[in-house]
């Protein structure tokens, strides 16, 4: 892999992991446009580690409170918003984990093609725009209930479909349940921690059996780039959501979906 390819792909992963614009759509389009070879499994693991590092760094205070209050709730302590978030994230992770195991073959074969990705990019982009326009956008993250967890966690399962965007569909579900844009995004990003971890482990399982030589300098570089880009993305996206709507992201997804159809048809 060339350094230029590593730079672009790791930056794309860091940016699109948390923006509601479909990382799989961009990662399918970039090699086709630039005639790049497949980046390989090791690279995928590296950029996933980068985005995991980013979310752990950015939300380290919240994560500490979540873990501490969760442990406290196990030992008879009071129920707090953070212990509630811990159980909510765990439940949502179990849902997507079970679905991932059951649907692995379909997702990795039938749905992993450019036209399916294009269709999902367009369809779930429209859903993002509709929920942003018609959602109440009044409730903060402290008000999350088990009903919200069931809906948002269930929506996260749909992110197994390439082109959906994990952040996009979970933010859409949060908006549908009346959360503010920022609350929906924050809960989505916290839910991403175990999901990205599981995805990295799953990819790493295949990497163990791989006999191809590893370009360690490229992988370290890609991890660092994806982490830096992802931290900046999380920070400025949360600030953006305090003032503006998600309409530009819906429009962008529609344009991306059309481009994918034109390129791959």
């Amino acid at each position: 892999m060339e350094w230029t390819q590593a730079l672009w792909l790791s930056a794309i992963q860091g940016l699109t992991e948390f923006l509601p614009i479909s990382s799989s759509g961009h990662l399918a389009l970039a090699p086709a446009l630039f005639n790049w070879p497949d980046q390989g499994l090791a690279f995928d693991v590296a950029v996933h580690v980068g985005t995991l590092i980013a979310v752990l760094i950015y939300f380290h205070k919240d994560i500490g409170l979540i873990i501490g209050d969760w442990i406290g709730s196990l030992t008879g302590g009071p129920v707090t918003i953070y212990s509630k978030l811990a159980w909510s994230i765990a439940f949502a992770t179990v849902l997507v984990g079970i679905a991932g195991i059951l649907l692995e073959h379909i997702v990795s074969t039938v749905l992993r093609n450019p036209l399916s990705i294009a269709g999902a990019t367009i369809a779930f982009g429209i859903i993002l725009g509709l929920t942003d326009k018609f959602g109440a956008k009044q409730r903060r993250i402290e008000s999350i209930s088990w009903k919200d967890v069931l809906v948002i966690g269930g929506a996260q399962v749909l992110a197994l479909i390439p082109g959906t965007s994990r952040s996009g569909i979970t933010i859409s579900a949060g908006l549908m349940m009346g959360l503010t844009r920022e609350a929906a995004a924050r809960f989505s990003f916290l839910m991403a921690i175990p999901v990205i971890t599981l995805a990295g482990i799953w990819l790493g399982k295949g990497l163990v059996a791989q006999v191809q030589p590893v370009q360690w300098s490229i992988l370290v570089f890609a991890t660092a780039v994806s982490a830096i880009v992802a931290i900046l993305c999380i920070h400025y996206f949360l600030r953006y959501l305090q003032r503006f709507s998600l309409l530009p992201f819906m429009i962008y997804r529609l344009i991306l979906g059309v481009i994918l159809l034109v390129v791959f048809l």
Side-chain angles (χ1 to χ4, degrees):
M1 176 182 287
E2 299 292 332
W3 287 94
T4 301
Q5 181 185 359
L7 173 64
W8 279 105
L9 290 181
S10 52
I12 288 171
Q13 173 65 27
L15 188 67
T16 59
E17 180 67 41
F18 298 106
L19 291 182
I21 55 177
S22 172
S23 60
S24 54
H26 288 79
L27 293 176
L29 182 60
L33 289 179
F34 298 104
N35 196 29
W36 285 336
D38 183 81
Q39 64 267 23
L41 189 57
F43 186 87
D44 288 342
V45 173
V47 293
H48 272 82
V49 170
T51 51
L52 177 61
I53 291 171
V55 74
L56 289 175
I57 290 174
Y58 193 85
F59 291 107
H60 69 277
K61 291 182 180 179
D62 298 86
I63 293 167
L65 291 169
I66 287 170
I67 294 174
D69 285 12
W70 176 69
I71 293 173
S73 71
L74 293 176
T75 57
V79 176
T80 69
I81 176 56
Y82 291 105
S83 65
K84 192 171 160 184
L85 280 174
W87 287 110
S88 301
I89 293 166
F91 180 74
T93 304
V94 169
L95 283 180
V96 76
I98 293 173
I101 293 171
L102 294 177
L103 301 175
E104 179 191 7
H105 177 71
I106 295 175
V107 170
S108 62
T109 55
V110 178
L111 297 178
R112 192 168 292 280
N113 66 79
L115 297 184
S116 295
I117 292 173
T121 299
I122 292 171
F124 289 106
I126 293 172
I127 290 173
L128 177 70
L130 291 175
T131 54
D132 182 66
K133 181 174 178 60
F134 296 107
K137 299 183 287 293
Q138 294 178 344
R139 298 171 52 211
R140 300 183 63 81
I141 197 168
E142 293 82 3
S143 69
I144 286 178
S145 66
W146 282 110
K147 182 180 178 181
D148 299 319
V149 174
L150 184 61
V151 172
I152 300 172
Q156 188 169 236
V157 171
L158 294 174
L160 293 170
I161 302 171
T164 301
S165 170
R166 195 205 62 80
S167 64
I169 193 62
T170 49
I171 290 173
S172 294
L175 291 170
M176 185 177 71
M177 300 305 291
L179 294 177
T180 65
R181 296 185 183 103
E182 185 184 9
R186 188 171 289 271
F187 186 53
S188 169
F189 296 163
L190 289 171
M191 283 199 307
I193 295 171
V195 171
I196 295 173
T197 303
L198 290 174
I201 293 171
W202 192 258
L203 291 170
K205 183 184 70 170
L207 186 59
V208 171
Q210 186 171 285
V211 295
Q212 296 176 344
V214 175
Q215 295 176 284
W216 288 108
S217 57
I218 289 281
L219 297 186
V220 172
F221 173 74
T223 301
V225 171
S226 63
I228 292 169
V229 173
I231 288 174
L232 293 172
C233 174
I234 293 170
H235 177 70
Y236 287 106
F237 184 52
L238 288 175
R239 290 183 62 181
Y240 171 90
L241 292 177
Q242 294 173 359
R243 300 178 58 191
F244 303 109
S245 80
L246 289 164
L247 178 62
F249 295 96
M250 182 195 76
I251 295 172
Y252 180 85
R253 287 183 63 125
L254 296 181
I255 294 171
L256 175 63
V258 171
I259 293 173
L260 286 169
L261 289 173
V262 171
V263 170
F264 292 107
L265 270 179

